[in-house]
């Protein structure tokens, strides 16, 4: 068996999409609880763009190769693999990095058996987005039946996942924001959100949220935007509400003139989080919750993995450029033949 494999790397360590290229690198060797997986497909995430540009703090244990989610077939194990897996098993999983390659060595604690009802492409789009959404609403947002929730960047893969998770727990209302009327129509018609608001054309979207909730506001907000939504979030959130910050696409500096008064007046909890920097034990608990809560719904089609476009991995540059366009509604997947 060849000691090398093909992988996608970045010329000079960082750069634009055109800096991506394929090359031969050493094939990883599984150790401890790891399995060696031959990759069939991998999913793109916004962190890949930031890492490519040198703007993402990569965990010390992560491969310099991009990619954290994948599907594939187990070829071998380290010495202490989790029970329930064997050579030849079809799996999908979450890694700290290294998925833009023919093979990956990843902890078996972060692998899930691939259901026959789902394709390789669909499974490659589940781990990062659905586990992130699970973490945001349950572990941090403490979401429960009867709550209302608003997802910013509603057309993103994490929000598409989170909206479906939200509907599964009898909410009083699921809401979203995007910067596109077309995306908003999609969210209302296809995913059943109660209302979706265009933050690009409406400067008063928080007022629209209050109107839609009879003045109460929403119990939970999941935010990837940051600076532009910080102040309006404080208006749109209900008393004793929870705001979960997962990113700051519009910047990390709080705009001038934003009052902190609502923090006390409404007893708001505003908490930031990330997934990739978490240890394996924390991520493993989320994997278990995904398997118990979501996997049966994938099998019977109550939950859907929205795939925007599938590329051959030879066209990874085009895949990155499509993600940069911010025009997608769902996952971008690359397949390896």
């Amino acid at each position: 068996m060849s000691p090398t494999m093909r992988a996608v790397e970045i010329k000079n360590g960082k750069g634009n999409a055109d800096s991506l290229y394929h090359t031969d690198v050493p094939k990883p060797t599984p150790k401890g609880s790891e399995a060696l997986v031959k990759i069939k497909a991998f999913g793109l995430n916004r962190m890949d763009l930031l890492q490519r540009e040198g703007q993402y703090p990569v965990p010390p244990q992560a491969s310099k190769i991009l990619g954290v989610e994948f599907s594939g077939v187990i070829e071998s194990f380290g010495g202490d693999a989790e029970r329930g897996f064997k050579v030849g098993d079809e799996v999908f999983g979450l890694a700290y990095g290294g998925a833009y390659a023919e093979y990956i060595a990843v902890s078996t604690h972060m692998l899930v058996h691939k259901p026959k009802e789902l394709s390789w492409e669909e499974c490659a789009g589940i781990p990062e987005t659905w586990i992130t959404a699970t973490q945001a609403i349950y572990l941090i947002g403490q979401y429960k039946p009867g709550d209302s929730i608003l997802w910013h960047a509603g057309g993103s893969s994490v929000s598409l996942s989170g909206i479906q998770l939200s509907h599964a727990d009898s909410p009083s209302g699921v809401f979203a924001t995007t910067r596109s009327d077309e995306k908003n129509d999609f969210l209302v018609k296809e995913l059943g959100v109660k209302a979706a608001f265009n933050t690009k054309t409406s400067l008063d979207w928080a007022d629209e949220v209050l109107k839609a909730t009879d003045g109460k506001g929403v119990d939970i907000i999941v935010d990837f935007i940051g600076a532009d939504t910080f102040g309006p979030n404080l208006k749109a959130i209900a008393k004793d509400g929870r705001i979960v910050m997962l990113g700051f696409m519009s910047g990390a500096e709080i705009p001038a003139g934003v009052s902190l008064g609502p923090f006390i007046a409404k007893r708001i909890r505003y908490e930031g989080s990330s997934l990739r920097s978490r240890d394996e034990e924390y991520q493993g608990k989320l994997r278990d919750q995904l398997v118990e809560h979501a996997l049966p719904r994938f099998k019977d089609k109550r939950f859907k993995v929205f795939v925007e476009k599938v590329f051959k991995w030879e066209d990874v540059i085009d895949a990155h450029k499509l993600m940069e366009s911010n025009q997608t509604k769902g996952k971008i997947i690359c397949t390896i033949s």
Side-chain angles (χ1 to χ4, degrees):
M1 186 176 291
S2 172
T4 64
M5 66 175 182
R6 298 290 287 172
V8 177
E9 291 204 337
I10 310 163
K11 295 175 185 176
N12 302 317
K14 66 178 181 179
N16 59 24
D18 290 312
S19 66
L20 298 174
Y21 72 104
H22 290 74
T23 188
D24 290 319
V25 301
K27 183 188 295 183
T29 300
K31 302 174 183 177
S33 64
E34 292 179 336
L36 181 69
V37 177
K38 181 174 177 56
I39 293 178
K40 292 283 190 176
F42 60 83
L44 272 64
N45 291 281
R46 193 157 294 276
M47 75 176 78
D48 300 348
L49 308 186
L50 296 173
Q51 183 178 337
R52 189 200 71 213
E53 295 168 351
Q55 299 179 19
Y56 190 94
V58 179
Q61 69 271 43
S63 166
K64 68 176 181 177
I65 297 170
L66 299 172
V68 298
E69 58 182 352
F70 60 91
S71 60
V73 180
I74 293 176
E75 289 211 348
S76 64
F77 294 101
D80 191 27
E82 181 178 312
R83 291 183 179 181
F85 293 101
K86 64 183 185 300
V87 171
D89 278 353
E90 298 179 347
V91 295
F92 63 94
L94 183 68
Y96 288 106
Y100 286 28
E102 290 180 312
Y103 293 87
I104 189 169
V106 61
S107 171
T108 50
H109 302 309
M110 293 311 300
L111 291 178
V112 178
H113 289 285
K114 173 187 172 295
K116 67 180 187 309
E117 295 87 353
L118 298 179
S119 68
W120 293 112
E121 293 83 359
E122 288 172 316
C123 285
I126 291 174
E128 171 65 20
T129 50
W130 284 83
I131 289 178
T132 296
T134 297
Q135 175 199 34
I137 66 174
Y138 296 118
L139 292 192
I140 303 171
Q142 298 179 340
Y143 180 71
K144 62 186 183 301
D147 278 345
S148 57
I149 186 168
L150 181 143
W151 291 85
H152 283 304
S156 70
S157 295
V158 174
S159 289
L160 293 176
S161 306
I163 288 167
Q164 293 179 76
L165 287 167
S166 302
H167 279 306
D169 281 310
S170 304
S172 59
V174 179
F175 303 89
T177 69
T178 74
R179 291 168 58 84
S180 160
D181 289 339
E182 187 267 335
K183 287 184 179 180
N184 285 348
D185 289 342
F186 168 80
L187 294 174
V188 172
K189 294 175 182 177
E190 297 295 327
L191 283 181
V193 302
K194 193 170 184 178
F197 312 100
N198 189 328
T199 59
K200 184 177 182 179
T201 59
S202 174
L203 298 177
D204 300 317
W205 64 264
D207 289 327
E208 295 179 38
V209 172
L210 292 174
K211 183 178 179 180
T213 56
D214 297 323
K216 176 190 174 183
V218 289
D219 296 304
I220 301 170
I221 294 175
V222 182
D223 187 20
F224 311 85
I225 309 303
D228 288 352
T229 49
F230 186 88
N233 282 346
L234 302 182
K235 178 186 283 190
I237 197 72
K239 282 188 177 181
D240 297 307
R242 289 84 71 197
I243 303 172
V244 184
M245 175 171 282
L246 299 180
F248 32 85
M249 294 170 62
S250 66
E253 299 294 326
I254 298 174
V258 173
S259 172
L260 299 180
F263 274 95
I264 295 175
K266 294 186 177 183
R267 301 183 295 270
I268 297 167
R269 197 183 84 207
Y270 212 127
E271 184 172 346
S273 189
S274 63
L275 178 61
R276 194 176 183 184
S277 62
R278 301 285 190 170
D279 62 30
E280 186 178 301
E281 181 180 2
Y282 181 96
Q283 291 190 2
K285 290 178 180 178
L286 284 168
R287 179 207 66 169
D288 293 344
Q289 188 168 354
L290 175 76
V291 170
E292 294 166 8
H293 185 66
L295 202 59
R297 291 178 169 91
F298 285 123
K299 292 179 179 179
D300 66 18
K301 306 302 181 182
R302 283 178 290 170
F303 283 169
K304 179 178 179 180
V305 182
F306 286 90
V307 176
E308 174 75 21
K309 189 170 183 178
V310 176
F311 291 85
K312 294 181 178 179
W313 80 315
E314 291 85 354
D315 299 319
V316 66
I317 291 174
D318 293 332
H320 269 235
K321 289 181 177 179
L322 176 59
M323 176 164 276
E324 288 175 331
S325 74
N326 294 321
Q327 300 300 310
T328 58
K329 299 187 296 294
K331 294 297 297 187
I332 299 171
I333 305 294
C334 288
T335 58
I336 301 176
S337 56

